[in-house]
């Protein structure tokens, strides 16, 4: 179902949504954008050039989240208070990331109730990328700037209006009252999508990559590529698909919380005995890359990277995952 | 290619050929136009990869503590890097005779964020030409005066020339202007406490505790950082004020008399958090109170690490 | 809210036993505060599984269950005093409350080996879940379903064996062959002397229609495996239990993986054939 939304009408539409739900959209903060709950539709900044600096996974897996309030020996779970939400202007890569993470948090033997509740309560109004960035590589990892998987609605920018590709019941609730798009408009939206995909560079091929990485597991490759890595958490914290977390008791707050954690930190895998299965940056870098490009593929038949390019842009030493994958493909043991 | 790059390549090749060092730490071209990558050269043929320009934004001295002490390291050292190496040698992090410092007077690091703030986030090409930086984006060419796009720490750099280098490539540059260097400290200090605190709260409020600032800093090399200590835990684990503010304030204090004012912490921060203003104040105090400046001498301990029997404070007796 | 797998159920310490002479290992028998929790637990529990124990303020830590269901309405954990959590639990007393999540992970799949001879080889502190397995097999309702039961158990010195009282009762039974070994001769020791791999070689349990369960320090495993292979046990018929740092215990927090497998969820029990398929990430 295709609807048409003149851009001038968007603020009014957001306002309408705001009567029923909390609406999140990219909001400019200094030099960058971050998804924030809107108090005024004018705060939404859908025309930010790159992806939001802070990944919208935080709307579902907050960096610090209270899991339990502890009273005596009673653990009272939080999370029930989360009610209806609309996320507007999330890009295809970040939407795809949420869908990949559903595999971890929802679709397996144990459901993560915190994640599941937020996902259930949220409608994703995705904005397709008509102008992908230089650091974007979604088409290399099995996705694209208008990948509709996971979207309740996909907005396609035609200049003065959006064509809204409404893809779920949740999406219908938000867009039902709008006029249908004409065939001409739908065709125009297809052209926008094709043009965007054509602009994308393809920095590497993934054919045979998983096997190649497994073959490299014990090779000198990892020690070589990790040399410049500082071992900070930028790549993993900004990554839309990195989901590792730590569970910590905050005694003064009487809370059991979880915080983002990262395989790039030494203490992540440090055991109480002193043994660390990943004692150096070499093993940690290997874990990060292998998790996304080999283990995730084994588990879900999908690459655990959506090509958003955040790690490429913000790595303090310009250690570029595209270059790592290219080097892996080209690596020959000497 | 600039003449400095050529000279660095030649010197690196010589050091490896003559087996004076095991590895030369420098920079090579990055994958993004406004960035270079740290490079680790172990064979003389690879010296051709080395580059040197204003896009080399890391403090290479941060890698010194990542190598075993028996390794002989050649390090490209600008002013700040050479001062960091000096401080690290004083702190026994590497033997000076296992280091070969290739000194390079530095005209400052170009802040890619300042450029992208103006031209957007799709830089296709970038180069330096004299006092200009020329950037090509999807919508054409943009020219900047170098001075306008220098990283803040570089704009107020006091000592662009390397100290204690084994060789210096390039001509020495005039020293920085102390008045300009310390102006931000004095300005900040002059603000009412509420405003200073509000600024601190605002900046730390964005912190995601990725510790890029720590890892990029040549002087942060503790085997176990206080924030990673679990028994007892010194800070809240979360991105609450009890976590992020505690991190930034304690980190700053640990740098008193040790920070070389390179600004690598701010350049590494993915959230654009300002943090040098905290340590710059401590550096200023070190100067005023103790007449101490990091890197000025190759033997003087930082005041908070040294003690003397004639200290005017009673607690050391 | 849906079922919350992170929520600990309330337990109480009913009994503690100092296991080793050096006081470093203590067993804790925990009982359930609520009948429904007890029923739910025992309806799912199989030997080899582990639980996350939870002390608010000290966090959570995973421990293998060291008791069989028939032993009583308690769940036993034998814990080495080594880190923040374990020091805390060692200072707790009978009657103290403690949280538990579990049972978690897979188990020793003995249901697939009915009629087989069972060989259990353990070393040091790693005997806990093997003890649970042995106890389970000694259940009068279970024991007839299996063939010979051989247990080889090594420790550095006599005082470091766990479950000394129960081991004595095993010697008195005819349906289990227990072989205890210590590293070096000691006064009054009348059983085997030598490292587990050598003792295993000496005892030479037959591989015919047999399956082996092996847990111990890495060096013991490393040298015991070739002995078992030589005896004719293929890697598919040798099980072990793995350990790594864990937080969630349910395959979400990310840290306990070996390649694509999560020890907490896909394990902790693996055959060596399975482990050989995984990258060496230990």
């Amino acid at each position: 179902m295709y609807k048409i939304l003149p851009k001038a009408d968007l603020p009014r539409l957001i306002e309408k949504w705001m009567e029923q739900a909390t609406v999140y959209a990219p909001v400019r903060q200094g030099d960058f954008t971050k998804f924030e709950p809107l108090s005024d539709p004018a705060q939404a900044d859908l025309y930010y050039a790159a992806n939001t600096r802070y990944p919208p996974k935080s709307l579902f897996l907050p960096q610090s989240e209270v899991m339990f309030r502890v009273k005596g020996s009673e653990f009272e779970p939080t999370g029930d208070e989360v009610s209806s939400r609309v996320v507007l202007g999330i890009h295809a890569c970040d939407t795809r990331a949420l869908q990949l993470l559903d595999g971890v948090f929802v679709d397996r033997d144990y459901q993560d109730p915190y994640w599941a509740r937020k996902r259930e309560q949220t409608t994703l109004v995705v904005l397709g990328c008509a102008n992908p960035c230089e650091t974007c590589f979604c088409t290399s990892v099995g996705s694209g700037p208008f990948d509709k998987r996971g979207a309740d609605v996909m907005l396609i920018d035609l200049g003065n209006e959006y064509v809204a590709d409404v893809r779920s019941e949740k999406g219908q609730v938000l867009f039902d009252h709008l006029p249908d798009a004409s065939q001409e408009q739908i065709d125009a939206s297809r052209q926008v999508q094709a043009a965007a995909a054509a602009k994308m560079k393809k920095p590497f091929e993934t054919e045979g990559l998983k096997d190649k990485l497994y073959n490299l597991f014990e090779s000198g490759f990892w020690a070589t590529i990790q040399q410049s890595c500082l071992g900070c958490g930028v790549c993993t914290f900004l990554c839309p698909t990195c989901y590792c977390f730590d569970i910590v008791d905050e005694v003064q707050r009487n809370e059991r919380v979880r915080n983002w954690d990262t395989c790039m930190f030494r203490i992540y895998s440090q055991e109480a005995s002193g043994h660390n299965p990943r004692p150096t940056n070499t093993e940690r870098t290997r874990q990060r890359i292998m998790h996304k490009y080999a283990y995730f593929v084994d588990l879900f038949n999908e690459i655990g990277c959506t090509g958003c390019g955040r790690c490429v842009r913000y790595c303090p030493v310009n250690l570029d995952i595209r270059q790592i994958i290219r080097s892996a493909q080209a690596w020959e043991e000497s | 290619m600039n003449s400095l790059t050529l000279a660095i390549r030649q010197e690196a090749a010589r050091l490896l050929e003559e087996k004076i060092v095991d590895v030369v730490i420098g920079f090579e071209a990055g994958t993004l136009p406004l960035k270079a990558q740290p490079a680790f050269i172990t064979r003389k043929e690879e010296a051709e990869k080395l580059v040197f320009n204003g896009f080399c934004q890391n403090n290479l001295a941060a890698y010194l503590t990542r190598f075993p002490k028996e390794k002989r390291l050649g390090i490209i050292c600008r002013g700040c890097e050479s001062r960091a190496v000096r401080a690290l040698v004083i702190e026994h992090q590497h033997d000076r005779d296992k280091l070969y410092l290739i000194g390079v007077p530095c005209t400052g690091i170009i802040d890619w964020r300042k450029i992208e703030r103006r031209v957007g986030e799709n830089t296709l090409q970038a180069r330096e030409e004299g006092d200009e930086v020329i950037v090509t984006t999807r919508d054409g060419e943009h020219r900047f005066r170098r001075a306008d796009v220098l990283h803040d720490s570089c704009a107020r750099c006091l000592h662009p020339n390397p100290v204690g280098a084994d060789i210096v490539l390039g001509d020495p540059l005039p020293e920085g202007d102390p008045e300009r260097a310390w102006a931000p400290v004095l300005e900040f200090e002059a603000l009412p406490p509420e405003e200073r605190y509000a600024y601190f709260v605002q900046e730390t409020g964005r912190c995601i505790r990725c510790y890029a600032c720590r890892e990029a800093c040549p002087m942060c090399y503790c085997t176990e950082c206080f924030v990673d200590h679990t028994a007892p835990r010194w800070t809240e684990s979360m991105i609450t004020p009890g976590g992020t503010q505690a991190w930034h304030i304690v980190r700053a204090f640990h740098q008193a008399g040790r920070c070389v004012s390179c600004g690598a912490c701010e350049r590494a921060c993915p959230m654009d958090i300002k943090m040098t203003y905290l340590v710059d104040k401590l550096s200023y105090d070190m100067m005023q109170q103790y007449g101490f400046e990091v890197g000025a001498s190759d033997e003087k301990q930082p005041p908070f690490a040294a003690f003397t029997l004639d200290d005017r404070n009673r607690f050391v007796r | 809210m849906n079922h919350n797998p992170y929520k600990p159920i309330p337990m109480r310490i009913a009994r503690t036993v100092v296991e080793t002479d050096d006081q470093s290992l203590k067993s804790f028998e925990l009982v359930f505060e609520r009948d429904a929790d007890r029923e739910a637990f025992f309806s799912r529990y199989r030997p080899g599984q582990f639980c996350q124990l939870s002390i608010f303020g000290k966090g959570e830590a995973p421990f293998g269950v060291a008791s069989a269901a028939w032993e009583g309405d308690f769940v036993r954990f034998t814990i080495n005093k080594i880190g923040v959590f374990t020091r805390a639990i060692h200072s707790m007393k009978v009657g103290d409350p403690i949280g538990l999540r579990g049972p978690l992970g897979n188990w020793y799949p003995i249901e697939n080996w009915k009629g087989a001879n069972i060989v259990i080889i353990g070393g040091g502190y790693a005997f806990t879940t093997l003890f649970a397995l042995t106890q389970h097999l000694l259940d009068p309702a279970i024991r007839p379903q299996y063939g010979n039961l051989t247990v080889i158990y090594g420790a550095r010195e006599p005082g470091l064996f766990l479950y000394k009282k129960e081991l004595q009762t095993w010697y008195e039974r005819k349906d289990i062959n227990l072989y205890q070994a210590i590293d070096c001769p000691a006064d009054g020791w009348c059983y085997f002397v030598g490292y587990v791999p050598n003792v295993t070689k000496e005892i030479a349990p037959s591989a015919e229609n047999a399956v082996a369960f092996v847990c111990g320090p890495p060096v013991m495993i490393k040298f015991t495996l070739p002995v078992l292979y030589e005896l004719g046990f293929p890697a598919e018929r040798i099980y072990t239990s793995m350990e790594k740092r864990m937080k969630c215990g349910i395959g979400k927090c990310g840290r306990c993986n070996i390649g694509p497998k999560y020890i907490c969820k896909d394990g902790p029990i693996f055959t060596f054939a399975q482990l050989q398929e995984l990258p060496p990430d230990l």
Side-chain angles (χ1 to χ4, degrees):
Chain A
M1 184 171 66
Y2 293 91
K3 296 285 184 179
I4 197 79
L5 170 63
K7 281 186 180 171
D9 292 352
L10 181 63
R12 231 170 351 142
L13 185 60
I14 296 175
E15 223 155 57
K16 187 164 176 275
W17 295 342
M18 282 168 65
E19 289 164 14
Q20 308 286 328
T22 310
V23 180
Y24 291 81
V27 172
R28 187 163 289 282
Q29 292 193 345
D31 272 358
F32 65 95
T33 48
K34 177 184 177 187
F35 279 86
E36 298 276 11
L38 301 180
S39 54
D40 174 353
Q43 292 171 309
D45 181 359
L46 299 188
Y47 299 103
Y48 58 99
N51 292 313
T52 56
R53 181 103 40 114
Y54 199 62
K57 72 177 175 188
S58 65
L59 301 178
F60 303 88
L61 182 71
Q63 179 162 9
S64 294
E65 177 171 39
V66 178
M67 302 179 86
F68 298 100
R69 300 215 158 75
V70 184
K71 295 186 179 141
S73 57
E74 212 27 60
F75 287 75
E76 290 174 9
T78 67
D80 275 345
E81 69 284 359
V82 175
S83 59
S84 197
R85 316 189 303 175
V86 174
V87 175
L88 169 67
I90 185 173
H91 286 175
C93 49
D94 290 337
T95 309
R96 180 83 190 113
L98 297 176
Q99 212 188 21
L100 291 174
L101 292 188
D102 283 344
V104 176
F105 286 113
V106 184
D107 280 342
R108 301 176 77 187
D109 306 354
Y110 293 97
Q111 190 175 86
D112 185 290
Y114 305 95
W115 173 277
R117 168 96 188 177
K118 295 186 196 81
R119 285 287 274 147
E120 283 155 16
Q121 293 291 328
T122 307
T123 307
L124 299 175
V125 181
V126 181
L127 178 63
C129 294
N131 284 301
C133 280
E134 289 300 308
T135 44
C136 291
F137 57 102
C138 52
T139 52
S140 299
V141 288
S143 182
F146 286 88
D147 190 336
K148 292 176 180 139
R149 287 174 291 180
D152 292 300
V153 178
M154 167 73 74
L155 298 180
I156 302 133
D157 190 340
L158 293 189
N160 293 322
E161 65 267 299
Y162 296 109
V163 166
D165 181 354
V166 182
R167 309 185 58 80
S168 74
E169 276 176 33
K170 272 187 190 169
Q172 274 177 29
V173 173
L174 301 182
F175 283 81
D176 231 5
H177 64 288
L178 294 178
D180 289 341
S182 68
Q183 191 54 47
E184 208 178 359
Q185 287 164 326
I186 295 170
D187 290 344
S189 80
R190 293 209 171 109
Q191 272 169 21
V192 169
Q193 295 174 57
K199 274 185 218 163
M200 296 287 302
K201 291 172 185 149
K202 214 164 181 201
F204 56 80
E205 293 296 330
T206 52
E207 202 187 315
L209 178 59
K210 185 188 91 172
D211 293 340
K212 178 79 188 194
L213 290 172
Y214 274 115
N215 288 334
L216 289 179
F217 195 86
E218 290 179 276
S219 85
F221 171 71
W222 305 104
T224 308
I225 57 132
Q226 64 81 36
Q227 284 188 97
S228 66
C229 177
L230 297 171
C232 73
V234 171
C235 49
T236 48
F237 282 1
L238 297 190
C239 175
T241 65
C242 273
Y243 60 86
C244 289
F245 59 85
D246 191 8
I247 301 176
V248 180
D249 288 350
E250 288 294 349
V251 180
Q252 284 167 340
R253 307 172 72 98
N254 278 311
E255 289 168 350
R256 174 162 287 175
V257 303
R258 67 172 165 195
N259 299 304
W260 291 352
D261 203 348
T262 162
C263 57
M264 297 309 299
F265 286 167
R266 178 186 59 85
I267 53 166
Y268 173 79
S269 51
Q270 180 76 51
E271 293 167 14
S273 65
H275 173 67
N276 193 335
R278 300 185 195 124
T280 73
N281 224 13
T282 297
E283 294 85 8
R284 300 195 276 270
T285 303
R286 179 176 68 193
Q287 166 64 19
R288 171 177 162 242
I289 303 296
M290 296 277 302
H291 191 187
K292 295 189 182 308
Y293 285 88
Y295 308 154
F296 216 90
V297 181
D298 270 340
L299 288 168
F300 303 108
N301 211 21
E302 302 274 3
I303 291 171
C305 164
T306 62
C308 75
R310 288 184 180 86
C311 59
V312 175
R313 290 188 71 80
Y314 298 106
C315 174
V317 295
N318 184 220
L319 183 54
D320 186 328
I321 197 166
R322 301 171 299 177
Q323 194 182 24
I324 293 176
I325 299 298
R326 270 201 306 272
S327 310
Q329 292 279 40
W331 184 267
E332 279 175 43
E333 205 64 15
S334 51
Chain B
M1 189 200 327
N2 60 48
S3 58
L4 260 181
T5 292
L6 198 63
I8 287 170
R9 287 177 185 178
Q10 282 168 355
E11 182 64 3
R14 183 185 74 84
L15 294 177
L16 291 165
E17 167 122 76
E18 296 176 14
K19 301 201 184 327
I20 293 167
V21 298
D22 301 310
V23 55
V24 173
I25 308 176
F27 288 96
E28 62 185 299
T31 65
L32 302 176
L34 292 167
K35 288 181 183 177
Q37 295 177 342
F40 303 84
I41 307 296
T42 52
R43 293 186 303 126
K44 89 174 191 330
E45 307 79 66
E46 292 174 336
E48 291 303 301
K49 290 205 298 199
L50 291 169
V51 301
F52 187 80
N53 54 42
F55 306 125
C56 300
Q57 62 160 353
N58 309 104
N59 188 322
L60 295 176
Y63 292 104
L64 182 144
T65 47
R66 288 172 162 87
F67 279 90
K69 282 190 179 168
E70 65 275 10
K71 281 274 181 194
R72 295 167 309 160
L73 312 175
I75 309 180
I76 312 297
C77 280
R78 293 165 284 195
C80 51
E81 278 147 338
S82 68
R83 280 176 279 126
V85 169
R86 257 196 176 167
L88 289 167
V89 168
I90 290 171
E91 295 182 11
H92 307 292
Q93 294 307 302
H94 219 90
D95 291 337
R96 179 61 184 85
D97 58 10
K98 290 215 165 60
L99 299 171
Y100 190 97
L101 308 185
I102 306 165
V104 187
C106 174
T107 52
I109 296 166
I110 291 157
D111 188 342
W112 63 276
R113 292 172 219 247
K114 284 187 183 167
I115 289 179
E116 295 209 333
R117 194 175 300 157
R118 309 260 284 275
V119 304
E121 304 196 352
N122 283 305
T123 308
L124 300 173
Q125 275 172 20
R127 65 180 198 279
E128 293 171 283
E129 239 177 59
D131 282 340
E132 279 196 318
V133 182
I134 300 155
V135 176
T136 314
T137 66
R138 285 178 189 166
D139 31 81
E141 199 178 88
H142 306 262
R143 298 176 93 92
F144 298 94
R145 279 179 53 225
R146 221 171 171 285
D148 294 340
V149 290
L150 282 182
H151 191 267
D152 288 351
S153 290
C154 301
R156 53 175 189 263
C157 177
L158 275 172
H159 308 299
N161 296 302
V163 291
D166 292 283
I167 187 174
V168 176
L169 309 174
D171 300 325
L173 293 162
E175 289 283 280
D177 172 9
E179 212 164 295
R180 189 177 59 172
W182 301 117
V185 171
L186 301 175
E187 277 163 29
F188 190 71
E189 218 169 26
L191 296 173
E194 329 53 272
E195 278 183 45
R196 279 180 287 165
Y197 183 61
Y199 185 72
F200 176 66
V201 169
Q202 173 200 307
E203 292 304 303
T204 52
R206 292 197 302 278
C207 180
I208 58 172
R209 302 185 75 170
C210 66
Y211 302 122
C213 47
R214 172 181 80 187
E215 301 301 335
C217 174
M219 303 312 295
C220 264
Y221 57 77
C222 289
T223 315
E224 187 179 56
C225 179
F226 77 98
V227 281
D228 293 337
H229 200 71
T230 50
R233 264 194 307 108
W234 300 112
T235 67
E236 269 179 11
S237 64
M238 311 158 79
I239 49 162
T240 49
T244 56
Q245 293 182 10
W247 159 245
H248 281 274
I249 208 75
V250 179
R251 173 190 165 273
F253 276 114
H254 284 179
Q255 292 288 344
R258 303 175 64 249
C259 170
V260 297
S261 307
C262 65
C265 48
E266 282 186 2
R267 286 192 294 278
C269 180
M271 301 304 282
D272 303 352
I273 296 169
K274 290 285 176 199
M275 53 192 115
T276 50
Y277 70 100
L278 289 172
V279 193
D280 282 351
K281 160 67 177 157
L282 295 172
S283 300
Y284 182 73
D285 286 353
M286 281 290 155
M287 240 161 75
Q288 299 302 312
Q289 307 279 327
Y290 300 91
F292 180 84
E293 201 179 5
V294 190
S297 139
D298 59 11
E299 52 199 25
K300 207 167 158 193
Q301 294 265 353
F304 286 0
F307 90 103
T308 54
L309 287 173
D310 57 354
D311 196 294
R312 63 195 154 99
N313 286 317
R314 299 175 68 96
F315 63 82
V316 292
R317 288 192 211 134
Chain C
M1 187 66 122
N2 306 322
H3 170 71
N4 190 321
Y6 300 101
K7 186 176 158 109
I9 56 171
M11 307 286 284
R12 194 160 34 80
I13 298 175
R15 198 167 88 96
T16 65
V17 178
V18 176
E19 296 285 359
T20 56
D21 289 358
D22 66 358
Q23 314 276 314
S24 62
L25 279 106
K26 229 175 177 178
S27 284
F28 298 84
E29 293 177 6
L30 310 186
V31 291
F32 296 82
E33 295 284 15
R34 299 185 299 228
D35 291 345
D37 290 338
R38 187 188 64 239
E39 282 159 28
F41 182 93
F42 284 110
S43 71
R44 289 186 294 141
Y45 166 63
R46 305 280 180 277
Q49 288 187 294
F50 71 98
C51 295
Q52 284 281 1
L53 295 186
S54 184
I55 304 171
F56 182 66
K58 304 295 172 187
E60 295 188 305
F63 299 99
V65 177
S67 52
W70 63 261
E71 291 186 61
D73 279 347
F74 62 86
V75 191
R76 181 190 295 117
F77 299 92
T78 304
I79 295 172
N80 193 5
K81 192 158 66 170
I82 195 165
V84 176
F85 183 93
T86 54
R87 275 199 298 276
I89 194 172
H90 265 252
S91 68
M92 287 171 71
K93 295 177 187 59
V94 168
D96 284 350
I98 188 165
L100 175 147
R101 292 195 286 126
L104 301 169
N106 67 355
W107 51 88
Y108 296 114
I110 44 159
E111 65 275 13
N112 301 338
W113 296 100
K114 291 202 173 147
N117 299 316
I118 310 284
V119 177
I120 290 171
I121 302 174
Y125 313 151
F127 194 62
T128 57
T129 57
L130 292 179
F131 177 75
L133 174 63
T134 311
Q135 289 283 76
H136 174 73
L137 291 167
L138 291 175
D139 182 336
I142 307 282
R143 187 65 193 88
Q145 300 171 16
Y146 297 89
N148 297 332
L149 174 57
T150 305
V151 178
I152 299 168
Y153 178 19
R156 271 206 320 279
E157 46 195 82
L160 295 182
F161 282 102
L162 310 175
Y163 320 120
K164 295 183 191 70
K165 241 174 73 189
E166 288 84 355
L167 296 185
Q168 274 316 307
T169 68
W170 293 359
Y171 278 117
E172 287 152 22
R173 297 178 67 130
K174 292 207 162 33
D175 56 357
I176 172 170
N177 298 309
L178 172 64
Y179 303 94
Q180 274 178 282
I182 55 172
D183 289 357
C184 305
D187 286 344
W189 183 252
C190 53
Y191 306 112
F192 285 79
V193 174
Y195 295 121
V196 167
N198 299 335
V199 174
T200 305
K201 202 168 188 174
E202 200 177 327
I203 295 161
S206 164
E208 204 181 317
N209 186 29
V211 55
F213 301 89
V214 185
C215 292
V219 63
M220 182 205 103
I221 303 271
K222 187 179 165 194
F223 290 104
T224 304
L225 275 182
V227 174
L228 288 173
Y229 293 152
E230 202 164 304
L231 288 167
F233 287 89
E236 296 77 25
R237 277 200 273 136
I238 311 173
Y239 291 86
T240 192
S241 181
M242 304 300 292
E243 272 188 340
K244 254 192 186 186
R245 187 165 184 219
M246 289 177 191
K247 285 285 176 176
C248 72
I250 53 174
K252 310 232 179 282
C253 80
R255 75 196 63 225
C256 69
N257 71 304
I258 317 175
K261 299 286 182 196
Y262 289 91
I263 289 181
C264 68
K265 189 174 158 292
D266 304 307
I269 312 301
F270 296 91
T271 66
F272 281 95
Q274 289 168 328
L275 291 177
Q276 281 158 12
E277 293 292 309
L278 296 174
D281 191 17
L282 297 163

